[in-house]
Amino acid sequence: LKPIYINNYDYQKTVPFKAFCDLLDKVTTDTKHTVKKKHLSVFFNHFKEADQNYFQLIRLLLPHLDKERQTYGLKEKTLAKFYVEILNIANNSIDASRLINYRKPISNDIGGDFGTAVYLSLRNRCITKGCLSMADINLSLDQLNSTFDRKEKVRILKRILRFSTAQEQKWYVRIILKDLKTGLSEKSVLNFYHPDAMSHFNISSNLRTVCENLKPLIGTNQTGAANSGGRSIYDIEIKLFQPLKPMLANRQPINSVFSIMEGGQVVVETKYDGERIQIHRDGDTIKYFSRNSNDSTYIYGNMFNSVVKECVIPEKCIIDGELLVWDSIAQKFEDFGKLKTLALGGNGDSGDPLGANFGKQLCFIAFDVIYVKDQSVMELPLSQRYFLLKRCVNQKAKSFEISEHKPCSSTADLVNYLDVAIMNRDEGIMVKNLNTCYVPGERKDKWIKIKPEYIDGVGDDLDLVIIGGYYGSGVGRRGGTISHFLLGVPFIPDDIDFEDFNQNQSSTNNIQFFSFCKVGAGYTDQELQGLQKLLEPHWREYKTSNAPKLIQLAEPFKERPDVWIDPKVSVVLQIKAAQIVPSEKYRVGYTLRFPRVVKIRDDKSWGDALDFDGAIVMAQEFEGR
Ligand code: ATP
């Protein structure tokens, strides 16, 4: 048997695929990082003698980063069917079942890994000495990637199968599935290749460019800085339509933010829950790249290009931000997940008023600028980039906006911003140091994300009853509904017989409900709609002049709901909160910080919920911590 494609390929000398598979096996088996690296070293040195085309090696080592072969249209299920069909494996045999149900363990095998299933099911069916080269594999992958024709895909896979061993098949399918499971991260591989490789990749998102620009340092004992003349990340050229890895935010406790940012000037932004998108523009050509540097232009281009042309002033630029769906009827951003449906489903302002997209539009919230008029601006501090961003964008409300920088000088400010964010049903807040540069792919403390769930909670969840409601800001069909709730606890006077009270929960005679907190987050839109439907018939307008005795607010009406409800026909919500803090706004004298609904407790009534005494005990315990 001779290598099959070798003469067609773009390089002459090459390395047996078997040697590469042996490397992957060793790297996977040895858990120590230094040993893994040693295996890589030996292999790279051999490779160097046989071949200089490192891109062809690196793309097989990091298949998930290979943007030139984005997708093969082959998932485990299709591959399993293919093996069963081509190898004529009996459908009811263990080998077929292992492939088709690869997630389930069969006899003593550990289930879950398709590569292993392929190896076990094929080991008695494949040749024992393969003859494929790495070039053969790369060529077959190029061919798989370039055809949509199922028959053609089967033909390519069949040819590789004919000339490979079960071990090679195991690694071949893992490459196709873009998950090698070797325990080597992309950072380790790229750092091993060259100390500057990761930074280069963060700027270009392109393995070919990285390999062409940097020669590997393996065995040279040189440091990256020495080899590259001490080049900083900002010396690497940025090109339009070559996506950069977006700068990321670290997660830190709210109390540590100011000490971590070391006296830097700090601003807070809303943390939007959409899709991170980098917009590249060169005149009329506009592209959209996802957080993972995938080209999403086919999704958003049609609907959003005209907005970009209208709102982005420079002909050439790269702008970073979050893409969301704005619902003009409910007057709010939609939950994440509706973006692609809207973008691919057609424009929301024309068409059927009862259609799912009616009144919805894409809205980009820009928060950074990376490149303007042939120049990178990453090295400028955020304060200057933000200034520049404002000059680059003609804002258009709910279509193309700039994220607001809110001044912040203390932890108390942060707590207040987070409070407001949660009430607005945002995910949390972003804290940014105005003095820092843009660093692609970096997740350090220049940007910090804070979400309520990062904060140590009160401990137990609290079951609280809804006693009031607040209208949302929307208008029309979906707006104007109750979207936030006032929660309370029953105050049970001493003279009530507890036995009797417990048996008679449907009555609220002589019992008052003290306001405790307001909640507006934690439930999905669907859950909220369910609650609204349930409570709708029972709401009564809250009038200060005729305040219900049943519902006790703090004097003089510090936190007043728009409507109130008799708790015996109301609903209990299970609430998670970060803190219990003293408050004059609520009748209990305490309130919850960052409350979120964990569950709607259909199984509980107000008598099963936390009462006033219980709330006070919890508050005192919390204060004493
Ligand atoms: P990460 O993106 O940090 O890996 P993740 O995908 O789990 O983490 P989150 O932890 O929820 O996302 O938050 C980070 C993301 O928040 C950013 O990648 C970005 O898409 C988004 N984001 C929303 N608002 C902002 C903002 N104002 N500034 C920066 N990023 C923002």
Side-chain angles (χ1 to χ4, degrees), residues 270 272-274 323-338 342 356-363 365 397-399 401 421-426 471-484 520-521 523-529 532:
T270 298
Y272 296 96
D273 186 19
L323 192 60
L324 300 128
V325 173
W326 173 252
D327 183 337
S328 61
I329 295 167
Q331 288 286 299
K332 66 180 191 64
F333 289 113
E334 285 269 277
D335 288 346
F336 175 71
K338 308 275 171 66
L342 173 66
N357 289 342
F358 184 69
K360 295 181 187 169
Q361 65 191 46
L362 292 178
C363 173
I365 309 277
K398 304 300 180 243
S399 272
E401 297 186 2
I422 289 159
M423 248 348 130
N424 290 341
R425 303 190 69 195
D426 296 332
Y471 287 107
S473 51
V475 288
R477 189 162 59 92
R478 286 175 221 172
T481 51
I482 302 295
S483 60
H484 291 62
Y523 31 72
T524 61
D525 282 352
Q526 227 176 1
E527 285 170 326
L528 178 60
Q529 278 162 18
Q532 286 168 339

Side-chain angles (χ1 to χ4, degrees), residues 70-71 275 286-290 294-305 340 343-345:
Q70 287 256 18
T71 164
E275 185 180 353
I286 297 161
K287 285 196 176 188
Y288 305 80
F289 294 98
S290 72
N294 291 328
D295 188 344
S296 304
T297 311
Y298 73 100
I299 306 176
Y300 303 121
N302 262 352
M303 192 177 270
F304 211 60
N305 279 357
K340 294 187 175 97
L344 294 171

Side-chain angles (χ1 to χ4, degrees), residues 467 486-491 512-517 550-553 586-589 612:
I467 57 172
L486 180 69
L487 306 181
V489 288
F491 175 76
Q512 290 182 319
F513 288 79
F514 285 13
S515 65
F516 188 26
C517 72
L550 194 58
I551 306 294
Q552 292 290 309
L553 307 181
Y586 299 92
R587 181 70 173 84
V588 171
F612 174 76

